Amino acid sequence: MAKHTITLIPGDGIGPEITTAMRRVVEAAGVDVEWEVAEAGADVMDKHGTPLPEGVLESIRRNKVAIKGPITTPVGTGFRSVNVALRKELDLYACLRPAFSIPGTGARYDGVDIVIVRENTEDLYAGIEFEQGSEGAQELIEFVESRGAGRIRPDSGISLKPISVSGTRRIVRFAFEHAIANGRKKVTAVHKANILKHSDGLFLRVAREVAEEYAGSGVEFEDYIVDATCMQLVLRPEQFDVLVLPNLYGDIVSDLAAGLIGGLGIAPGANIGDECAVFEPVHGSAPKYAGKDMANPTAEILSAVLMLNHIGEREAADKVLAGVKRVLSEGAQVTYDVKRTLTGSVDGCVGTQAYADAIIATFA
Ligand code: NAP
C-alpha cells in the first residue's frame, strides 16, 4: 500500500494523549503514514489570533483526510467551537457515528449495532443567533409579530433553526448510500415534524422523497419522532439499523447511543464531505483527566479504524478492531472508565499508553 499523508490535530485536554496512543497503534498495524501535525484550539490563539488557523484547513484540503483529538470550547465567552467551524469550513455535512457493542466494556446492552448519520451543517447549530436585548433580536421580534407569525417575549434571546431541502436531500442520500455499501437493511429518519412543521416537517418530506429514489435498493425506510426514538433506543436498541437525524437530535441521540455501548470512551465518529473527511471521537476534551495518562483512547482508536477503512487500508482496520476487541474482552488491561463499569472500582486499571501497548501486543 502507498504511503498516506494524514493531517493530525492533537487537540487539547486529553487530546494529545489519546492521539499519541492512536498513532502508535496505527503505525504498529503496519500502515505507512506521514502525519502532518496541525495545531488548533485555545493554545494557538496567541500565536495566530484564531483558534483555527488557515494552515490547518489548507493541510486538510491538501491531504483530504484528517484525524483529530477533541478541542475545548470555552462556555459563554471566547471563541465559537473550532469543531463546528471545521465542519462548516470544509462542508463536512455528514457526521457518522457507529455505536456497536464490544464484549468486555460492561455495557448494559449486548448486540447493539447502530449507525447514526447526523446532519452537520444546519439546524440549530447553524450558529445564527440573536442576543437578548440586541437590535437584531428586537427587529426580528417586530418582524415576526408584523407577519402575524406569533409573539416572542421582548426579553428573549433567539437561535434560528434552518433546515433546507438541499441539506436534507444530501444527508438522507448519504445515509442510504452508507446503508447499501455496508449491507445494512433499514434507514430510520428521526424528527419532530408533528410540532416543527416547516423545519422538521421539511426534513421528513424530503427524507420520504429520497427514500422513494431508493425503493428498489433493498434498504427499508421508516420514520420516528425523536422522543419516541430515545425511549425505543433504551427499550429495544436492536430494532434500529441506520438512523438519519438533523443536527441537534443527532448530537443528543449519538451520546445516548454511546451510553448503550459502554460510554463516551468507546464511541468513534467521522465528519465526511464530498472533498474531505475528518475523523474524531464523539467525546470532548475531558479536561480533568488531561496529562494524567488515564483517558480511554478506544474512541480515538476506533475513529482511526473508520479512517483506515475510508482510505482503503481494510486489513489494518480489521487488525486494529480485532486488537481492541481482544483487549477489552480479556478485561485485564483496561482504562479506569471500563474498569469502573465492570467492577465498580478503578483498582487494577491501566493507563492510556499501557492500554495501547496491550492492543499493539495482539498484532504479534
Ligand atoms: P467530555 O469531555 O466528553 O467528558 C465528559 C465525561 O465523559 C468525562 O468526565 C468522562 O466521564 C467521560 N469521558 C469522555 N471522554 C472519555 C475518555 N476518552 N475516556 C474516559 N472517559 C471519558 O465532555 P465535557 O466535559 O462536556 O466537554 C469538555 C470539553 O470538550 C468542552 O469544552 C466541550 O465543548 C468539548 N467538546 C469537544 C468535542 C470535540 O472536540 N469534537 C466534542 C464534545 C465536547 P467520567 O468523569 O465520569 O469518567
Side-chain angles (χ1 to χ4, degrees), residues 14 18 68-74 83 87 264-265 280-289 295-296 336-337 340:
I14 58 171
I18 60 173
K68 67 181 279 291
I71 296 174
T72 306
T73 306
N83 308 302
R87 293 167 202 161
L264 283 170
E280 63 175 343
V282 173
H283 66 71
S285 56
K288 66 179 168 182
Y289 298 117
N296 187 348
Y336 85 90
D337 53 326
R340 185 180 59 190

Side-chain angles (χ1 to χ4, degrees), residues 190-192 194-195 224-233 249 253 256:
V190 181
H191 58 86
K192 190 79 184 173
N194 51 333
I195 306 293
Y224 248 99
I225 305 278
V226 63
D227 37 0
T229 306
C230 292
M231 194 270 288
Q232 290 294 337
L233 274 168
Y249 308 147
V253 170
L256 193 162

Side-chain angles (χ1 to χ4, degrees), residues 32-43:
D32 195 2
V33 189
E34 185 184 330
W35 304 99
E36 207 168 276
V37 177
E39 302 284 352
D43 296 347

